[in-house]
Structure formats: C-alpha cells, structure tokens
Amino acid sequence: MKISIIGCGYVGTVTGVCFADLGHNIVFCDIDEKKLDLLSHGKAPIYEHSLDDLIQRNRERLAATSDLAAAVRDTDITFICVGTPSGDDGSIDLTYVLSAGATIGKTLQETPDFHPVIVKSTVFPGSTEGPVRTVLEEASGKQAFVDFGLGSNPEFLREGNAIQDFRESDRIILGAGDERTMQVLRDIYASFTCPKIETSIRTAEMIKYTSNAFLATKISFANEIGNLAKRLGIDSQEVFAGVGLDSRIGPAFFRTGIGFGGSCFPKDVRALIAGAGDYGEHLQIIPAALRVNESQPLKLVRLLQTHIPDLKGRRIGILGLAFKPNTDDVRESRAIPIIRALLDAGAGVVAYDPLAKENFAALFPEIEYAPSAQATLASDAVLITTEWQEFEQLDYSGKTVIDGRRIVAASRTAGVYEGVCW
C-alpha cells in the first residue's frame, strides 16, 4: 500500500519507517527541509535506537517531500502525525493538525478515489470528528465517511524503545467512522497478532488519553508513597516489589524517583484536565497526580540543602539531562526545574548527558557542559537526574550524591548518599 505520513517528528518518522519495513511504500511530508533532507539521505531526523539502520534497509520504499498535496495525491491513505502542543491553559493546540487538514482537503477535492485520512496525532476526544472533519469537508467540498474516510489510530510508542513497541505492540486501536476506512486499517495491520480493538473515533482518542493519564497517575502515586516511605526509613523499592506482585495491580511504572517528563505524559494529562473542564467535569485525581509530579524534582534540591545548606558559589554536578535514557529528548525533563532552582540559589552547574547536551544547551546556555560523566564528579555534590546505564560504571567514592533515579553504584560507593524516595 502507498501511505503518506504528514509530519516527520518522532511519531511520524518511526511509524513511517516501520510501515515501510512491513512492505508498504511511504511518502514523508514535512515543512522542515532539514528533516526531509536527512530522510532523503537515509538518515533519521530524530534519535531512536536502530532507526538509522531500519531507514537504510528500506530506502527504496521511502520518499520525502515538502509538497503535501502531491504526497496525498500519490498515496492510498494519509496519516496525520504532526505535533499537538499545549496551549497556555493546558489544552491542545490543533493549529498544525488543522493546517495539514486544510491542504489535505483541497487535494481531496481533486481526488476521485476514496481516500482515508487517519489522525495519529494525540488529540482530545471529539477533535477528529469535530474541527478536523470540518476543515476537511470545507476544503474538499466532500462529505466525510462517504466521499473520503476519517479515522483515529493512536500510537503507544516509548521513546528509546519505539521500534520494538511498534513491532511487538500490546494492542492496536483502530477507530473509524465508516467500514471502508476500517478495512484499510485492518489491511495495514493484518500481520500483527496482538489484540486489535475496532471502535469509534472518539473512543480511540479517549483510549490514548486514558492510558497516559493512568500511567502518569501510577508514577505520582508511587512517588507520594515513596516520599512517606523515606520519612519512615523504608525503602520504597521493597514496598512496590511486594505491591506489584498483586495481579490486580502489576509492577510496571512503580519506579519511584523525581517523576515523569517527555513529550506525552505532561502534555496529555494537562490536555485531559483542560478538555474535561470544557465539558463541566472538574477532575480531581489526575490534577493531583500532576501537582505531585511538578513538586517531586525539587525534593532533590531540598535533600542537597540538608548537606550543603548554602548553595551560593558551590559547584553542583548534574548527571543526566534527557527526560529518560536512550533519547536526546529534553522536553519536560526533570533536570529543568532542578537546574533552575540551583541557579536561583546561586550555585554553579556543570552537567553531562551522552545524547542531550546540545538540546539542553538551547534552554540553558549559561551552565557548563562536561565532556564526560567522570568530569561531572569534580563538584561539591552530584545530582542524578536520568538513569543512563553508563552512570553505573562511575566511581563515586568520597562524593556527595543525591540520587533521583536509583543508580546502584552511587548508593554503594558514594561518600554521602541520599535517594529521593529511599
């Protein structure tokens, strides 16, 4: 099948390349010529483990263009994978989705064949059948579900593990408003043996939001219990090792620390809260989970101050800048509020990350970036904010270490060691 992918960010690139690996022909489209040039030369525009190799293996099935109309016209189905950033009130901003929809609609006006348009971008329930459908119909002069298809196919990809997540999906959610679109989606995912849920568009959108909100809440719940456990002299890891064995609960996402970041959980939780408010539903549990997450990283700084009360003029090392290991993504990284607090307290900061230094330097050009993890240890104290595996190989002897991610080597060898929840 010929598939157009609109948006060459994280979701679009991984999805398109993985579709190509299944034998489909892919046309990538983006307004960023740099991303298109990289793809045209067989390179990934984002970092993801083994993605470059997958692109090289499927180069003959991959094309890239900035001409959205041509991409749609020359393919059988279009996936919208553009960003949906947060507005000032936490609600999603559909600007990029609707802009893509308007151009797609104009192209559909001249397209005689039935062409499904699938929203893979994360949008609040009702967005696809509401404003997205409206802009497509107005631009095309055609009717959704009759003259062209419309659907939702949310993604559940974890950065750093996205290709495996695509290939070994827990489930595939197919939302469509007409049988022809649903059948095309069935055909695309025919080789997958995981559970496939066929549902309405609005339900598919809600499944995505609910999944992320629940996982975010589970993390914050673990951290709230972890904070109490530390006060009581209890190791939170042992607590959740026992709790997680309950088949009704499970062990996943019970790793206590300084909270979640990244491009999905914070944004999607805020959007769910804002969207619920628009319908007169004022959520209580989910906003609390967000408040816990926002306060959690600053506990690392407060623990540091129990050992070094006055941080003015002190040199503090930061190990880890990406929001999680195996990615260069710094969006909502827990290192951001920590470093701001250190700078506000008058400390000097020297930071290291194996992949994310360049991206983080765009946010904090004023701090020092160490050439290696070892160089970061030449500080008055070290804070661990991302659990990179290489940090387990360091010798922390004689160092003051405040750990937000449970690096075992630090707990065993540091001169002074504090864990945020243990």
Side-chain angles (χ1 to χ4, degrees), residues 4-13 15 28-32 35 68 78-86 92-104 117-123 132 153 155 208-209 263-264 267-268 331:
S4 49
I5 301 288
I6 313 305
C8 297
Y10 192 85
V11 172
T13 302
T15 299
F28 287 111
C29 182
D30 203 286
I31 59 173
D32 189 331
K35 291 179 180 179
L68 194 157
T78 296
F79 284 81
I80 297 177
C81 303
V82 298
T84 51
S86 295
I92 60 167
D93 182 349
L94 291 174
T95 299
Y96 302 124
V97 174
L98 297 180
S99 176
T103 304
I104 293 169
V117 179
I118 310 301
V119 178
K120 207 166 186 66
S121 302
T122 300
V123 297
V132 177
N153 174 218
E155 52 81 23
K208 168 66 175 181
Y209 269 99
S263 61
C264 293
K267 175 177 73 72
D268 293 350
R331 286 175 288 183

Side-chain angles (χ1 to χ4, degrees), residues 201-252:
I201 294 173
R202 189 170 297 215
T203 301
E205 294 166 332
M206 191 64 176
I207 288 170
K208 168 66 175 181
Y209 269 99
T210 303
S211 178
N212 280 358
F214 179 80
L215 293 175
T217 300
K218 194 172 183 182
I219 293 168
S220 286
F221 174 82
N223 283 331
E224 194 157 59
I225 294 296
N227 295 336
L228 175 60
K230 183 174 177 66
R231 295 270 189 179
L232 297 172
I234 298 169
D235 189 330
S236 59
Q237 185 175 54
E238 294 183 30
V239 173
F240 286 109
V243 172
L245 290 175
D246 188 323
S247 61
R248 299 166 300 175
I249 298 174

Side-chain angles (χ1 to χ4, degrees), residues 216-217 219-221 224 260 269 273 283-296:
T217 300
I219 293 168
S220 286
F221 174 82
E224 194 157 59
F260 56 81
V269 169
I273 294 167
L283 307 181
Q284 298 182 60
I285 293 173
I286 298 171
L290 191 59
R291 289 193 297 272
V292 169
N293 192 64
E294 290 171 346
S295 65
Q296 196 67 17

